[in-house]
Amino acid sequence: MQELDLSVSALVDDLAGRLGPIFPHSETRHRAYGCGGRGGPRPTRKKALTPRVDTPATVEKKISLTDPDSGYMVRDGKPTGFFYLDLRTVDGKHAIITDPHVTPASVHDSVPYLARLDHQCQRFGLNPVGLDAGYFTAAICHGLEERGLHGVIGYRRPSKLKGYLPKRAFTYDAATNIYQCPEGQSLIYATTDRNGYRHYRSDPEICRRCPRLDTCTRNARQIKTVTRHVWQDDKDRVDAWRLTEPGKKLYKRRKETVERSFADAKQLHGHRYARMRGLARVKEQCLLAAACQNLKKIAQARWRRLFYAFLRHLRAHMAYQRASCPTIIRCVSIAALTRRAM
C-alpha cells in the first residue's frame, strides 16, 4: 500500500510539473475566486464590465431622396422634417458673426460645440461665453472648466413623472459619497455605467416600510436608484456662475445679440429655407448671409463711433465758446427766449 501511495504521488507531481508551463496562472486564478480551501471566507470581488463587442448595429435612419445631406429633425416645439442647422458664434459687443457652422438637423447642437469653441479661442480668445439651455450637458461643462472659461448656460427645468419625488429632493453628501432621501435613508453607490453615470441605490428592506414608496419609485423590487454624472461638479459650478451678477448680465446680452442675429437672417436674408441642395451649398448660403449681416453691423459700429466722436467735439467746442465769450452767448440765449415768448 505504501509503494502504491508513493507511485500515485510521484505521478501527480510529474503531471503538475508538465501542466505548470501550460497554465502558469492556474494557481493564482484558483486563489482569487476562493475555491481552494474548506470553510475559508470567500473574498469579495466587484463584477467587471463585460467587454464591449464592436458589432455594427442596425439603425433605422430616414434619408431624403431630394437632399441626402440633410437630417431628419424631431424636437419639441419645432417642425418635423428634413432640415439643416446653422450654429453661430456672435460677438457680444457689436453682434458680428464670427463662425457660421452648418450641420444636418439630425446632429445635436452640443456635438460640434467644443471643436468650434477651440477654433474661436485660437482666433479671438473668447471668455466668457453665453449658451442656450440645449448646451447644458456634462461634456460641455467639463470642457469649459478644462479650458478655464466662464460659461453662462440657460436653465431648463428637468422633466419628472407627475406625482413622484424630483431628484432635487435627494441631497448629495460629497464627503461620504452617498445620497440622502427625504426619509433619512442613505442611497449607497453601486456602480458606474459606460455613459459616466454613477448609480446610487437604496435598501429594499427599508423602502418596503417607507410611507413615501408610492411617490418615490415604480421599481418592482422596491429599490430607488439615483444617478449622478462623474462631471456633475462641473455642471454645478457652471450653473452657479449663471446666478451671479456678471452671469445675469451676460445672458441678457446674449438674447440681444444671438437671437436678434437669427431673427434678422430669417426676416431679411432668406434663412427660413435652403435655396440650394447639399451641405456645401447650404454652407455657402449661410456664409453669404453672415457676410451681409456683418457688413451692416460693421457700418453701424463705424457710424456710431464717428457720431460719438462728433458729439464729443461739438460739446468741447461749445464749452470753449462759453468760456471765451460768455456775454455773447448770454445775449443770444436771451434773444432766443424773447422770440419764443412772442
Side-chain angles (χ1 to χ4, degrees):
M1 182 65 69
Q2 186 177 2
E3 293 180 358
L4 180 61
D5 292 340
L6 290 176
S7 61
V8 171
S9 61
L11 181 61
V12 170
D13 292 340
D14 181 63
L15 183 61
R18 294 183 181 181
L19 294 179
I22 302 176
F23 303 103
H25 301 290
S26 59
E27 183 179 359
T28 306
R29 192 183 304 112
H30 191 69
R31 293 176 181 174
Y33 287 93
C35 301
R38 293 183 178 179
R42 291 174 176 262
T44 59
R45 291 190 60 186
K46 185 178 178 180
K47 184 178 179 181
L49 292 175
T50 57
R52 178 179 294 178
V53 180
D54 296 332
T55 56
T58 303
V59 179
E60 293 184 0
K61 183 178 179 181
K62 293 185 178 181
I63 299 177
S64 173
L65 299 179
T66 305
D67 189 359
D69 291 344
S70 62
Y72 192 77
M73 182 174 67
V74 180
R75 296 188 183 183
D76 296 336
K78 300 290 184 180
T80 302
F82 294 97
F83 298 95
Y84 290 95
L85 296 179
D86 183 10
L87 311 179
R88 288 186 172 185
T89 304
V90 179
D91 172 39
K93 186 175 182 180
H94 301 292
I96 296 176
I97 304 169
T98 59
D99 182 31
H101 183 66
V102 183
T103 62
S106 57
V107 179
H108 194 266
D109 302 350
S110 60
V111 173
Y113 175 72
L114 291 177
R116 306 312 302 174
L117 179 63
D118 294 336
H119 179 66
Q120 292 293 290
C121 290
Q122 292 176 1
R123 299 180 62 187
F124 305 106
L126 304 179
N127 194 15
V129 293
L131 302 171
D132 194 6
Y135 294 89
F136 190 58
T137 63
I140 289 182
C141 293
H142 181 67
L144 293 175
E145 291 290 324
E146 280 188 335
R147 291 161 177 80
L149 301 176
H150 290 292
V152 179
I153 306 179
Y155 176 75
R156 178 178 294 173
R157 182 175 297 177
S159 59
K160 71 177 187 67
L161 293 174
K162 186 176 181 180
Y164 284 83
L165 292 174
K167 185 179 178 180
R168 62 177 180 272
F170 298 81
T171 58
Y172 177 71
D173 188 3
T176 57
N177 191 25
I178 61 172
Y179 269 94
Q180 199 81 14
C181 78
E183 293 296 324
Q185 183 188 171
S186 298
L187 279 71
I188 310 300
Y189 167 76
T191 184
T192 303
D193 59 18
R194 297 184 186 275
N195 296 323
Y197 285 93
R198 297 170 180 168
H199 292 248
Y200 298 83
R201 295 171 183 168
S202 62
D203 186 0
E205 297 296 332
I206 301 177
C207 288
R208 290 189 184 98
R209 302 188 301 268
C210 180
R212 297 192 180 186
L213 178 62
D214 295 336
T215 61
C216 183
T217 180
R218 298 186 300 177
N219 188 271
R221 297 184 297 172
Q222 291 82 35
I223 298 176
K224 175 64 178 179
T225 302
V226 178
T227 58
R228 178 184 178 87
H229 201 275
V230 294
W231 294 333
Q232 183 64 37
D233 295 336
D234 298 331
K235 293 185 67 175
D236 295 340
R237 283 190 291 268
V238 171
D239 190 58
W241 203 78
R242 174 182 60 87
L243 302 176
T244 61
E245 289 300 325
K248 293 179 181 179
K249 184 178 179 181
L250 177 63
Y251 196 74
K252 182 180 179 181
R253 181 59 180 166
R254 179 201 165 273
K255 294 186 294 185
E256 299 171 356
T257 54
V258 178
E259 301 299 339
R260 186 172 295 178
S261 177
F262 279 115
D264 186 30
K266 288 182 178 180
Q267 194 72 18
L268 303 176
H269 298 278
H271 231 56
R272 296 183 185 275
Y273 304 99
R275 303 297 176 180
M276 295 173 283
R277 301 175 184 175
L279 183 61
R281 294 182 178 181
V282 175
K283 287 182 179 180
E284 179 183 346
Q285 176 185 345
C286 294
L287 286 172
L288 287 174
C292 294
Q293 291 182 256
N294 285 343
L295 287 175
K296 293 191 296 183
K297 294 297 182 181
I298 293 172
Q300 290 177 359
R302 181 63 177 169
W303 178 86
R304 194 179 299 114
R305 182 179 300 177
L306 292 176
F307 180 72
Y308 289 157
F310 171 74
L311 286 181
R312 288 193 297 267
H313 178 73
L314 182 61
R315 290 172 183 172
H317 181 67
M318 294 179 65
Y320 173 75
Q321 285 185 347
R322 291 192 188 96
S324 59
C325 47
T327 306
I328 299 175
I329 296 176
R330 191 181 303 112
C331 294
V332 172
S333 60
I334 292 173
L337 291 175
T338 305
R339 287 195 296 271
R340 289 181 183 177
M342 293 175 60

